């Protein structure tokens, strides 16, 4: 049986692709203002940033699809800018918004750590390190240089390695600590595998760094390993 459409019938409404076209009670922005950000799902939060969907693909659907393809917010934040460019529906403006949000988060943590002793904000340290190093596909070694009050002077990646290891030279860390007039440091490296348990080589390197930096009266406060989940602290593990 063939159905002939009525030329006089009103056009069939399409699914809303813009948040403003959604019913007021389900608009993520209004829901956020009325009930707080914690009341929103991941897709609703992302929809506020993306603002518009595609024809036939509402913004909430697009948000869910992006999160599913990336493996949630963690995967989205870890995704290289080049891979985001290949995601359908994430044009230059949307990608720029996501990258800007990530950089704003980095700077917010950096400001907090520069304005007070880092261990007054232990969770901020971990969150900051995850933002900086969780997306690295190869191992790297970095140092947080601190002043006499243990405020952040700089976080610098000093050595880059391969997927499974990197080589760090204590003398280069000593030279940089002297240049920055640092009084203490926190060592940092990542495990692209996701595992955060320290290897015997990690422990050996940490001890070499402690001995070398002690010669210039710079204390090693901790060594964090960044991987899946929260970064592991060698101090908390009793290895420092």
């Amino acid at each position: 049986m063939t159905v002939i459409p009525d030329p006089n019938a009103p056009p069939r409404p399409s699914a809303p692709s813009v948040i403003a076209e959604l019913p007021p009670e389900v608009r993520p922005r209004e829901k956020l203002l009325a009930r707080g950000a914690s009341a929103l799902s991941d897709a609703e939060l992302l929809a506020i940033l993306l603002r518009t969907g595609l024809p036939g693909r509402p913004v909430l659907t697009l948000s869910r699809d992006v999160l599913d393809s990336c493996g949630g917010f963690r995967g989205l934040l870890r995704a290289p800018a080049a891979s985001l460019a290949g995601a359908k529906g994430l044009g230059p403006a949307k990608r720029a918004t996501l990258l800007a949000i990530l950089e704003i988060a980095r700077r917010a943590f950096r400001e907090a750590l520069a304005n007070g002793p880092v261990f007054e904000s232990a969770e901020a340290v971990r969150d900051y390190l995850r933002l900086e190093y969780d997306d690295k596909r190869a191992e790297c070694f970095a140092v947080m240089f601190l002043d006499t009050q243990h405020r952040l002077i700089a976080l610098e990646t000093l050595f880059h390695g391969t997927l499974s290891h990197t080589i760090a030279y204590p003398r280069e860390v000593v030279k940089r600590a002297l240049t920055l007039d640092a009084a203490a440091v926190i060592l940092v490296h990542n495990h692209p595998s996701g595992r955060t348990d320290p290897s015997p080589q990690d422990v050996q390197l940490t001890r070499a760094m402690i001995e070398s930096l002690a010669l210039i009266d710079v204390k090693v406060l901790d060594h964090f390993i960044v991987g899946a989940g929260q970064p592991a602290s060698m101090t908390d593990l009793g290895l420092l």
Side-chain angles (χ1 to χ4, degrees), residues 98-228:
L98 295 176
L99 293 172
I101 290 294
L102 181 57
E103 182 58 26
I104 288 170
R106 284 195 182 105
R107 296 187 186 190
F109 285 123
R110 196 178 303 145
E111 286 176 8
L113 299 178
N115 292 331
V118 293
F119 288 113
E120 287 185 359
S121 308
E123 288 307 308
V125 172
R126 285 181 163 86
D127 290 339
Y128 180 38
L129 295 179
R130 288 188 67 187
L131 282 174
E132 290 287 352
Y133 296 106
D134 196 33
D135 64 340
K136 305 300 182 187
R137 304 301 178 180
E139 243 186 61
C140 56
F141 186 92
V143 181
M144 296 177 69
F145 295 97
L146 312 174
D147 65 14
T148 55
Q149 298 182 51
H150 294 169
R151 296 173 301 192
L152 181 66
I153 299 172
L155 168 62
E156 296 186 359
T157 303
L158 299 181
F159 308 100
H160 296 270
T162 66
L163 184 63
S164 59
H165 74 280
T166 188
I167 299 175
Y169 298 98
R171 72 179 177 189
E172 297 301 323
V173 178
V174 169
K175 285 168 58 178
R176 195 64 185 137
L178 287 170
T179 299
L180 294 173
D181 197 24
V185 299
I186 294 174
L187 309 176
V188 183
H189 81 281
N190 66 311
H191 283 176
S193 67
R195 297 186 61 180
T196 57
D197 47 311
S199 68
Q201 293 79 12
D202 294 336
V203 176
Q204 183 180 7
L205 174 61
T206 304
R207 289 171 180 164
M209 290 288 180
I210 291 172
E211 292 174 2
S212 298
L213 288 162
L215 296 174
I216 59 169
D217 199 26
V218 172
K219 184 171 182 172
V220 176
L221 300 181
D222 208 336
H223 187 166
F224 283 100
I225 301 174
V226 182

Side-chain angles (χ1 to χ4, degrees), residues 6-30:
D6 182 357
N8 298 317
R12 187 176 180 179
S14 59
S17 62
V18 181
I19 286 179
E21 296 175 4
L22 294 169
E25 66 275 10
V26 298
R27 292 177 193 168
R29 183 170 56 192
E30 283 74 6

